[in-house]
Amino acid sequence: MTDATSNPLFGLWQPTQLQRLYYGSGVVSKNLLDCLPNETSKAFIITGNSLATKTPLVQDVERLLGSKHAGTFSKIREHAPVAQLNEAIEVVKNDSSVDTIISIGGGSPIDSAKAISYKLHTQSDKWLYHITIPTTLSASECTMMAGYTEVNGVKTGVGAKELVPHVILYDSMFVLYTPQRLWTSTGLRALDHALELLYHPTASEIPARMLCLQAAGEIFTYLPRYIQNPKDENIITRLQLASFASLGFLGHNTKGSLGLSHTLGYALGSPYGIPHGVTSCLTLGHVVKFKARDLEAAKQIARLLPFINESPSGDVQVDAERVGERVFKLVQRLGLDVDLGGYKVGREQIPVITQKVTGAEDGLVYDVVEGLVKELFV
C-alpha cells in the first residue's frame, strides 16, 4: 500500500466486521434483543465485579435477555489476567448453546471477551458473536486486538479480524455509574488513539485521519465540560462518539503498532499496575512533543490546531509542539496524573521500561526512549 503520510490522496481503507453501532440514552433496553444473531441465540456475559455487584447494570441486562441468558462471568480484573480468561473459557465450553458473548464495562472486559473468543476458536474453530456495552472511553471495542496479562505479569495480545465486536451499544445511562476519574482518564486514552492514528504512517486519510481530527477536537472540548456536569448524558454521548471516531476507522490495512505513546503505556501498565487511561495521561504530551521533531508527523499533528480553537503559525513543528503543550494542560485541568509520583515505580526501573519499549539495551533509539521515560519521574 502507498504510504498515506507521503501521499494522503492515494490510499486504502478496509472496514472491519462491525455491523451496528447504537448510541444514545436507553439504547440497550430498546435494542439489545434485536442484536442477537438469531432467534435461538444464547448469550454469555463478561464483566467485572464492581459492575456486577455495585450497580444494577448487569442484572438489568440479564433480565432483558431472559431465557437467552446463558450465564455471567464477573471476575474480570484490570489488565485481564489470563487465569480469569481460562476460567471463563471452561464455563463457555461446557455450554454448547452459547453463540454470543456480551461484554459490559471498559477495556478489560471487552478485551477479555475478544480473547475468550480467540482462544475458543483455536480449540474448536468457533468464533463467538460479540455484542459490547462500553462504560469507559478506552475504545477497545474498535480494534481487532485483545490484550491480556500472562501469569508472569507481562501484557500480551492476540489479533484477528474476527475479534472486532459485531455490535456496539453506547448507552449513556450505563456511564452514569462509571467513576469520574476512570471516565476522564480513559478520555485521554481516546485522545491518545486519535493523535497516534493521525500521525501513523499507514493510516488512511478517509475516514481515519479526518475523523481523528474531529475526535480529538471533541475530546478537548467536552472532557472539561463533563467535569462540570458529569450527569449530562448529551455530553457523555458526544464523548462516546468521539472515542469511537478516535479508533473505529483504524481499518485492517493499518500496519504495525499504533505508536510510541501506546508502546510506553503497555510497558508501564500491567507490570506496575497502572491503568491504561492513566498511562496515556503520563506519556501522550511527551510523545507528541517528541514527534514534533519529525517533519512528516508534525505536519499531521499541526492539522489539529483549528479543531482546538488555535490558529496555525505556519511552522508545523512549532505548531505540533503547541499541541503537545495543550495535551499537558488538558491533563492538568482534569486533575489527572502528570508523572509517576503516585505509583510505586522507582527510577531504577528506567532501564527496564526502556528495554521493554525498544527491545534493546543501548543505541540511539534506546537513548531517545530513555529520555522520554526519565521525563515521567518527578
Side-chain angles (χ1 to χ4, degrees):
M1 174 191 165
T2 299
D3 187 319
T5 295
S6 61
N7 190 351
L9 299 182
F10 187 87
L12 168 70
W13 176 63
Q14 291 179 288
T16 68
Q17 68 179 10
L18 177 66
Q19 297 175 2
R20 306 187 205 179
L21 185 151
Y22 293 96
Y23 54 93
S25 182
V27 294
V28 169
S29 62
K30 294 173 186 174
N31 300 291
L32 180 63
L33 289 178
D34 290 337
C35 295
L36 295 171
N38 57 67
E39 292 182 358
T40 61
S41 291
K42 289 289 187 73
F44 191 78
I45 297 171
I46 299 292
T47 190
N49 182 66
S50 292
L51 277 175
T53 61
K54 297 179 181 179
T55 79
L57 299 176
V58 177
Q59 291 89 339
D60 288 347
V61 172
E62 291 172 345
R63 280 193 293 271
L64 281 169
L65 290 171
S67 62
K68 296 182 180 299
H69 177 226
T72 297
F73 187 86
S74 59
K75 297 181 183 179
I76 300 301
R77 301 204 312 268
E78 193 171 66
H79 300 298
V82 71
Q84 278 70 51
L85 300 190
N86 291 336
E87 187 177 344
I89 287 167
E90 289 305 311
V91 176
V92 175
K93 281 171 61 178
N94 289 331
D95 189 344
S96 60
S97 68
V98 174
D99 64 354
T100 301
I101 195 163
I102 299 176
S103 57
I104 307 174
S108 294
I110 297 170
D111 271 14
S112 295
K114 291 191 284 188
I116 288 165
S117 184
Y118 183 92
K119 286 175 174 286
L120 277 173
H121 176 73
T122 62
Q123 298 172 22
S124 65
D125 210 33
K126 171 183 178 181
W127 293 104
L128 293 173
Y129 192 86
H130 187 178
I131 300 169
T132 183
I133 307 170
T135 60
T136 73
L137 295 169
S138 66
S140 175
E141 65 274 10
C142 297
T143 78
M144 63 190 81
M145 303 299 294
Y148 59 94
T149 305
E150 293 284 12
V151 176
N152 60 5
V154 175
K155 194 75 175 278
T156 188
V158 294
K161 63 182 191 258
E162 293 85 358
L163 294 185
V164 178
H166 297 80
V167 180
I168 300 173
L169 292 147
Y170 286 128
D171 194 325
S172 54
M173 293 177 66
F174 276 59
V175 177
L176 297 176
Y177 295 90
T178 301
Q180 290 184 37
R181 180 178 169 83
L182 176 59
W183 182 254
T184 52
S185 65
T186 56
L188 260 294
R189 188 67 170 173
L191 183 62
D192 201 343
H193 299 326
L195 286 172
E196 296 233 280
L197 188 53
L198 182 62
Y199 56 67
H200 194 287
T202 67
S204 63
E205 179 67 16
I206 289 289
R209 284 200 176 116
M210 282 196 174
L211 285 169
C212 284
L213 290 167
Q214 185 70 32
E218 292 280 286
I219 291 165
F220 268 104
T221 299
Y222 285 102
L223 270 183
R225 294 187 189 181
Y226 166 82
I227 291 293
Q228 295 170 352
N229 191 355
K231 301 301 181 184
D232 188 324
E233 291 190 55
N234 289 333
I235 291 175
I236 289 170
T237 300
R238 281 185 173 273
L239 287 167
Q240 288 176 314
L241 295 179
S243 173
F244 179 78
S246 76
L247 203 57
F249 299 94
L250 183 70
H252 292 165
N253 53 289
T254 305
K255 307 300 181 185
S257 62
L258 198 56
L260 179 56
S261 181
H262 280 72
T263 305
L264 280 165
Y266 295 134
L268 290 166
S270 55
Y272 303 101
I274 304 174
H276 279 312
V278 173
T279 64
S280 291
C281 296
L282 301 175
T283 62
L284 182 58
H286 294 290
V287 171
V288 169
K289 293 188 72 173
F290 167 70
K291 296 294 287 187
R293 305 176 199 173
D294 176 341
L295 182 60
E296 292 301 326
K299 287 178 183 177
Q300 298 297 335
I301 298 167
R303 295 171 66 186
L304 182 59
L305 286 182
F307 292 84
I308 56 176
N309 299 316
E310 294 207 17
S311 300
S313 70
D315 185 327
V316 294
Q317 291 182 294
V318 170
D319 289 347
E321 281 259 357
R322 289 165 61 195
V323 173
E325 288 297 332
R326 283 292 301 270
V327 172
F328 284 130
K329 289 178 182 177
L330 179 62
V331 174
Q332 292 169 341
R333 183 177 179 183
L334 297 172
L336 298 170
D337 297 325
V338 295
D339 56 55
L340 285 166
Y343 299 90
K344 295 179 180 179
V345 187
R347 295 185 69 86
E348 75 280 356
Q349 294 299 305
I350 291 173
V352 177
I353 297 167
T354 305
Q355 187 174 357
K356 283 180 181 176
V357 173
T358 63
E361 296 183 3
D362 54 33
L364 179 60
V365 174
Y366 181 96
D367 292 341
V368 167
V369 173
E370 183 183 50
L372 288 174
V373 175
K374 286 178 177 177
E375 291 179 331
L376 304 180
F377 290 82
V378 179

